Amino acid sequence: MQDIIAGILKFQREAYPRRAELFRRLAGDQSPATLFIACSDSRVVPELLTQREPGDLFVIRNAGNIVPGYGQEPGGVSASVEYAVTALGVADIVVCGHSDCGAMTAVACGKDLSGMPAVAGWLRHADCAKAINNAGEHDNPAAKVDAMARENVIAQLANLRTHPSVALALQQGRLRLHGWMYDIASGDVLALDPEQRRFLPLRDCPQTATMLDGDCRQP
């Protein structure tokens, strides 16, 4: 905790003054263009990964980057999705999984979660991905976990489409959905090509390649 307090003091002393005008503009309003749904894993930092400033991303983080399907008793994730799409008018939603995900390891490997009933219940929202992943063939446990993380991104994108706000925005052509996989060790990001249902390097995925300018496409 001492390091966190020291970090706040350093932020106030050094980082804030350099962005004082930005924070003044953000003090009364926000207009993020993207909703970024990521895992709570401490190694995954959406703003660092995307090199965005405060105010650029509306972020949801939870165990396993999960989006429950829309239901009669919406929780915090559903409310945040609805707010981002309806009130903030985000143009893009990214569901970002990652390597070495503890939640996906637990699901893929059938870990005993009897001592964590809330976690076990939450991860039931990945059951569709689990069923598909269990039906596949994997070379080793690590490959099974990696495949599970990818299937989970696809499943959560499907769950997103059950939300009325998302379905309407997609039908009106004012929203795009993206599935990403972040590799912690290499920094690589793969993007889902929905036509081929496979993950490709971000710069090569047809859905994202068209959004990149010449500078971004350089190695």
Side-chain angles (χ1 to χ4, degrees):
M1 191 63 188
Q2 184 177 1
D3 290 342
I4 293 176
I5 295 172
I8 291 175
L9 297 177
K10 182 178 180 181
F11 163 77
Q12 295 172 332
R13 184 176 63 251
E14 300 177 13
Y16 182 87
R18 291 197 297 268
R19 292 176 170 83
E21 179 57 33
L22 170 63
F23 287 116
R24 277 194 289 270
R25 292 201 310 270
L26 293 173
D29 190 29
Q30 64 167 326
S31 55
T34 301
L35 167 59
F36 201 98
I37 302 172
C39 186
S40 296
D41 193 297
S42 62
R43 300 165 294 178
V44 180
V45 184
E47 292 83 358
L48 179 63
L49 176 61
T50 61
Q51 292 293 282
R52 296 294 85 200
E53 290 278 24
D56 289 339
L57 299 178
F58 192 74
V59 179
I60 297 173
R61 297 184 66 174
N62 60 60
N65 42 273
I66 280 171
V67 181
Y70 191 80
Q72 293 183 341
E73 298 181 5
V77 173
S78 297
S80 297
V81 168
E82 185 174 82
Y83 184 79
V85 175
T86 303
L88 298 178
V90 297
D92 296 276
I93 300 179
V94 175
V95 176
C96 184
H98 68 95
S99 61
D100 193 42
C101 180
M104 294 303 102
T105 299
V107 175
C109 300
K111 299 284 187 180
D112 180 10
L113 297 176
S114 57
M116 294 184 285
V119 173
W122 178 249
L123 294 180
R124 291 296 303 273
H125 295 294
D127 277 356
C128 288
K130 177 182 178 181
I132 294 172
N133 197 53
N134 284 347
E137 296 183 1
H138 311 285
D139 293 337
N140 51 59
K144 185 176 183 180
V145 171
D146 185 63
M148 178 66 211
R150 298 185 190 205
E151 288 294 344
N152 183 57
V153 168
I154 296 172
Q156 302 317 315
L157 288 170
N159 285 349
L160 264 173
R161 292 176 180 273
T162 69
H163 290 246
S165 59
V166 173
L168 177 61
L170 287 170
Q171 192 276 330
Q172 293 177 340
R174 54 185 174 87
L175 181 67
R176 294 169 297 214
L177 303 184
H178 310 270
W180 290 2
M181 274 295 300
Y182 166 53
D183 184 77
I184 296 171
S186 68
D188 289 340
V189 174
L190 303 178
L192 174 66
D193 179 353
E195 297 297 325
Q196 301 186 52
R197 205 177 182 277
R198 67 189 184 107
F199 287 81
L200 304 171
L202 186 65
R203 70 182 66 230
D204 297 331
C205 180
Q207 187 184 29
T208 55
T210 56
M211 302 179 190
L212 299 176
D213 59 31
D215 291 338
C216 289
R217 291 179 62 83
Q218 295 303 312

